[in-house]
Amino acid sequence: MAGLLDKRLWVVSGKGGVGKSTVAAALALRSARAGRRTLVCEVNTQERISRFLEHPTAGPEVTLLEENLWAVDVRPQEAMREYGLMVLRFEALYKTVFENRLVRYFLRFIPSLQELVLLGKIMYHLQEKLPDGRWRFDTIVLDAPATGHAISFLSVPHVLVQTVPQGPMSREAQKMRDLLVDPAVTAAVLVALPEEMPVNEALELHAALKDKVHIRTHAAVLNQAIPERFTEADLEALAGHPELHRVAQANHDRASLTVLAGTKLERNLHAPVFNVPRLYLPTFGRDAIEQVMGHLEALVMGEK
Amino acid sequence: MSTTALGPALARKRVLICVGSGGVGKTTVAATLALRAAVDGRDSLVCTIDPAKRLANSLGLSALGNAETQVPASALEPLGVTARASLHAMMLDMKQTWDDLITRVAPPEQRERILANRFYQSLSTALAGSQEYIAMEKVWELRRKGEYELVVLDTPPTAHALDFLDAPNRVLDFLDNEAAKWLLAPALKAGKLGLSLFNRSGYVLRALSKFTGTEMLQELSSFMLSLSGMNEGFRERARGVRALLEDASTGFVLVTSPHPERMDEAIHFSTLLKQHRMEVVALVVNRVHPLPTEAMWADAATLTPTRRAKVEETLRELQVLAEQDGRGIAQLQAACPGIPLIQVPRFGLDVHDITSLWQTGRFLLGDDTF
């Protein structure tokens, strides 16, 4: 299997609480280590990734975290301003128009405008070039919102192209759609836990991305996987130790669920599944991200 | 007899709203609270957003729909208890509930136009807080009909806590905005809306149309015009929803997982609820890893070497997780003084059957602690 490094936009999503930001941070760090200029984008959220990597938060400006790794929290107000300035070209004109109370009111109700400018900013950075003609960022890792929000967020260009009257908004949307659907550019990484709901959501997300957004699922990451430890014989032997048996049985059940979840993902996604074992570390910081990264080596670099 | 703050709340409150970030077990907690209230003698309804199918099954229902469905007595058989009052469950269909609302408040001749308008779609889906708003609007409606003594609402995963609390204000704002009135007034008087919109406000709007296109602005104006007929009905309801949130018979149950990473969100949420003068009945910390006991370590030492190694490895892992949880919980309690904190342990597997719901309930109500 080819690695993610062949693609430029890596979309990471899954159910809330499955570890999307953890996986996004690990993938971004690996890309940067591979010498690619990498930008990791969070979308209007409490920033996690810069914190995981033990750097100050980036905020709404693209900020260099470490060698080859930049981060940004894409926020609606700032993104709207940047987009507005690009369209209107003059700061003074922008102020008159966009700081007008009435205009602000109208903008709030224009369908999907907010998502459009958020996604627009990400797409802008994807096409941004250095003076020497190289991409400013080789890789962009998008820590996308959770399932439902991710689908509506990423389908905005499609929806707009179909519904909005011809005009500047639909032209922007068309450009974004072309990049999103290009399998040479964009790939999705779906994150799940070995539990029923997170796996089901990953499957739903896969179907929606494929049918509505036309983004291919490159791989799934099964986070907090529990490896097999106790055999049936072990469990029988522990029958006389009820407390310990309960602990062992729970571990065994979770290991079985891990196998089940992996099989279900692989069969339905027709994509490889990478297990990241559950980590037992006192604090969740850079060490944890480095460990997760180790388990995603083949996902980023391709099979040796 | 219950010993936690949720006991009196289940006995007296009319509305309990479970809030928290995605993936923390809000739905389970909501279902459990309604189950307990029904068993203890109050007619209850749990209104969920997106339940696992197995949760519906565990309540003896094949699936949940937008209609309120009574949970059959047979579903409670495994518990060996009978409910002294009725238990109902429903799944909220956001789109349908918005459409019902419009159908109720819009003048008949405007309905179809509104429902078909693309800006309506944005009001009902894209406007921040609109999902939260419609969920509470449903509860307000149920509460007004008065068929249930207790309604427990499971809320959508909220990206921003404020979207939730601010939702009625935003909807009111949408209808009340003075700028819109100023802009629309001449057109409303004339009974039609055309390019007058653009003459009036000159180059600001011309510049804006560069951004959105002219057609878009005209469509939006015409939508505003069609909404003006339903302002009063809508406003009255939005005020009702806001009042319901602040009512003494309404309580919030803040659900979180103990992971330190999730704590910030819980603390932020609780601060905002407090600022808005809304009552947090309890902080439920769900899926807490219990600390392995001394007895367990001693017992492990009696095993054969290979098994001992496996068990001790597992206990060490649990210890790390339990200590992590303990730090998160201490941090949460320190940040939210005066709010009762209730811990529910992580069970062997996901909570999806009625017995596990009941077991969760025993911890929520303080019959069991750890």
Side-chain angles (χ1 to χ4, degrees):
Chain A
M1 188 201 78
L4 268 176
L5 276 190
D6 293 348
K7 319 286 179 189
R8 295 197 51 229
L9 177 62
W10 308 355
V11 178
V12 182
S13 186
K15 185 174 167 28
V18 297
K20 284 185 293 294
S21 302
T22 305
V23 170
L27 292 177
L29 191 59
R30 188 64 190 89
S31 167
R33 292 266 172 90
R36 307 291 172 104
R37 288 180 302 278
T38 304
L39 173 67
V40 58
C41 302
E42 291 179 84
V43 183
N44 195 26
T45 177
Q46 291 189 324
E47 275 180 68
R48 290 221 181 92
I49 292 178
S50 43
R51 253 190 310 140
F52 285 163
L53 295 172
E54 301 175 13
H55 293 292
T57 50
E61 302 286 335
V62 173
T63 306
L64 181 68
L65 298 183
E66 56 189 84
E67 194 186 359
N68 284 330
L69 183 59
W70 287 260
V72 65
D73 179 23
V74 185
R75 295 182 196 159
Q77 206 172 333
E78 284 82 358
M80 185 80 85
R81 183 167 179 284
E82 282 174 33
Y83 180 47
L85 273 174
M86 230 185 294
V87 175
L88 298 173
R89 291 192 186 84
F90 299 107
E91 180 86 28
L93 189 56
Y94 174 85
K95 279 201 170 134
T96 324
V97 175
F98 281 79
E99 286 170 16
N100 179 306
R101 204 156 63 99
L102 175 130
V103 170
R104 286 195 165 278
Y105 172 75
F106 268 103
L107 290 180
R108 262 173 61 187
F109 296 104
I110 293 180
S112 314
L113 182 60
Q114 175 168 313
E115 286 83 357
L116 187 74
V117 296
L118 291 173
L119 199 55
K121 180 172 165 64
I122 296 161
M123 292 306 185
Y124 170 77
H125 291 310
L126 188 66
Q127 291 165 288
E128 215 179 350
K129 295 223 171 145
L130 294 171
D132 64 8
R134 292 178 304 155
W135 298 116
R136 182 179 174 201
F137 301 109
D138 302 306
T139 308
I140 292 192
V141 181
L142 169 59
D143 182 9
T147 314
H149 288 141
I151 296 166
S152 51
F153 181 62
L154 294 166
S155 1
V156 157
H158 296 260
V159 174
L160 287 181
V161 167
Q162 284 158 12
T163 60
V164 156
Q166 281 295 316
M169 265 179 86
S170 67
R171 274 196 301 277
E172 284 301 315
Q174 181 71 53
K175 274 195 272 176
M176 288 185 207
R177 184 173 77 166
D178 293 346
L179 284 171
L180 277 179
V181 303
D182 185 349
V185 176
T186 307
V189 174
L190 310 185
V191 186
L193 297 179
E195 290 170 24
E196 186 191 15
M197 288 298 281
V199 170
N200 288 347
E201 278 209 23
L203 302 189
E204 278 169 36
L205 185 56
H206 165 75
L209 287 180
K210 186 159 79 81
D211 301 339
K212 288 194 192 162
V213 198
H214 309 292
I215 294 183
R216 238 187 90 252
T217 301
H218 186 89
V221 173
L222 188 56
N223 194 22
Q224 299 188 10
I226 305 286
E228 301 272 5
R229 178 176 290 157
F230 295 97
T231 61
E232 294 295 336
D234 289 333
L235 291 172
E236 271 169 44
L238 286 169
H241 311 258
E243 290 274 90
L244 299 181
H245 183 267
R246 194 173 43 76
V247 166
Q249 183 70 51
N251 190 283
H252 181 71
D253 289 346
R254 295 211 171 265
S256 311
L257 269 182
T258 301
V259 175
L260 214 65
T263 314
K264 195 169 175 187
L265 286 170
E266 228 156 35
R267 280 203 190 134
N268 290 283
L269 301 183
H270 308 292
V273 178
F274 295 84
N275 281 17
V276 174
R278 169 132 214 181
L279 302 179
Y280 303 93
L281 298 169
T283 53
F284 200 90
R286 201 174 174 93
D287 281 358
I289 300 297
E290 300 252 1
Q291 284 199 28
V292 171
M293 192 178 86
H295 294 282
L296 299 177
E297 181 67 16
L299 168 56
V300 178
M301 305 306 289
E303 298 295 354
K304 306 119 275 204
Chain B
M1 244 350 260
S2 149
T3 53
T4 69
L6 283 172
L10 279 191
R12 280 180 225 123
K13 295 286 184 197
R14 302 295 307 270
V15 174
L16 286 175
I17 304 177
C18 296
V19 291
S21 12
V24 296
K26 280 193 300 280
T27 307
T28 305
V29 170
T32 304
L33 290 175
L35 169 67
R36 276 299 290 248
V39 167
D40 293 343
R42 293 183 87 206
D43 289 323
S44 303
L45 168 76
V46 56
C47 182
T48 78
I49 303 298
D50 186 21
K53 196 167 163 26
R54 272 163 63 191
L55 178 69
N57 294 347
S58 75
L59 295 172
L61 306 167
S62 55
L64 290 175
N66 205 33
E68 304 142 46
T69 314
Q70 178 153 14
V71 174
S74 59
L76 273 57
E77 263 165 28
L79 305 179
V81 295
T82 37
R84 302 199 339 249
S86 74
L87 173 62
H88 283 76
M90 67 173 288
M91 186 180 100
L92 192 64
D93 177 334
M94 300 281 179
K95 173 82 172 66
Q96 187 60 49
T97 312
W98 265 109
D99 291 356
D100 291 349
L101 172 63
I102 297 297
T103 307
R104 222 172 263 134
V105 298
E109 69 280 6
Q110 299 279 14
R111 263 174 222 159
E112 290 311 311
R113 261 178 70 195
I114 294 174
L115 293 177
N117 189 292
R118 70 180 75 152
F119 292 101
Y120 163 67
Q121 305 295 328
S122 123
L123 170 68
S124 61
T125 57
L127 173 60
S130 70
Q131 297 218 322
E132 290 79 358
Y133 176 76
I134 202 66
M136 287 185 296
E137 149 86 28
K138 183 75 196 181
V139 172
W140 179 77
E141 178 73 28
L142 289 164
R143 173 86 170 76
R144 207 172 58 149
K145 282 199 275 174
E147 287 163 29
Y148 304 100
E149 288 169 278
L150 175 68
V151 176
V152 185
L153 174 68
D154 165 34
T155 57
T158 299
H160 300 278
L162 256 180
D163 288 352
F164 194 94
L165 299 168
D166 211 26
N169 293 337
R170 278 177 198 245
V171 172
L172 279 174
D173 191 35
F174 177 79
L175 298 166
D176 271 346
N177 193 287
E178 277 176 43
K181 278 191 203 139
W182 172 80
L183 182 71
L184 292 168
L188 288 172
K189 242 178 232 158
K192 66 182 172 66
L193 205 71
L195 279 172
S196 64
L197 183 71
F198 299 91
N199 299 337
R200 171 110 193 212
S201 316
Y203 92 109
V204 168
L205 281 169
R206 272 200 305 279
L208 181 61
S209 68
K210 242 173 141 173
F211 195 64
T212 62
T214 318
E215 243 180 280
M216 173 82 90
L217 282 184
Q218 275 171 323
E219 265 188 51
L220 180 56
S221 322
S222 107
F223 175 58
M224 296 299 302
L225 193 61
S226 66
L227 275 188
S228 60
M230 53 180 260
N231 273 4
E232 214 20 73
F234 209 124
R235 215 176 280 139
E236 186 203 316
R237 296 173 75 96
R239 274 195 296 265
V241 170
R242 191 161 59 185
L244 176 71
L245 279 177
E246 294 167 9
D247 198 278
S249 68
T250 300
F252 285 81
V253 177
L254 182 51
V255 187
T256 180
S257 84
H259 203 276
E261 219 193 281
R262 298 264 139 192
M263 274 316 157
D264 294 352
E265 291 163 18
I267 291 167
H268 180 58
F269 219 134
S270 118
T271 312
L272 284 172
L273 284 166
K274 211 171 177 181
Q275 275 170 8
H276 284 71
R277 295 189 307 280
M278 289 166 197
E279 186 193 353
V280 182
V281 174
L283 274 167
V284 173
V285 186
N286 200 15
R287 302 188 191 134
V288 179
H289 295 90
L291 199 64
T293 60
E294 286 301 323
M296 287 162 89
W297 287 104
D299 199 11
T302 67
L303 299 170
T304 60
T306 334
R307 293 210 170 102
R308 177 179 175 179
K310 286 184 183 183
V311 169
E312 286 186 342
E313 179 69 22
T314 312
L315 292 180
R316 265 194 299 277
E317 291 168 357
L318 286 176
Q319 177 123 12
V320 171
L321 297 176
E323 284 166 358
Q324 215 174 59
D325 291 355
R327 277 194 301 276
I329 290 165
Q331 192 191 337
L332 182 64
Q333 186 70 87
C336 311
I339 304 177
L341 189 146
I342 301 169
Q343 299 184 38
V344 178
R346 184 182 181 106
F347 299 120
L349 290 172
D350 309 345
V351 175
H352 275 304
D353 58 69
I354 193 104
T355 321
S356 329
L357 285 185
W358 187 253
Q359 206 183 351
T360 302
R362 294 186 57 82
F363 282 92
L364 288 176
L365 277 296
D367 308 330
D368 285 333
T369 53
F370 66 93

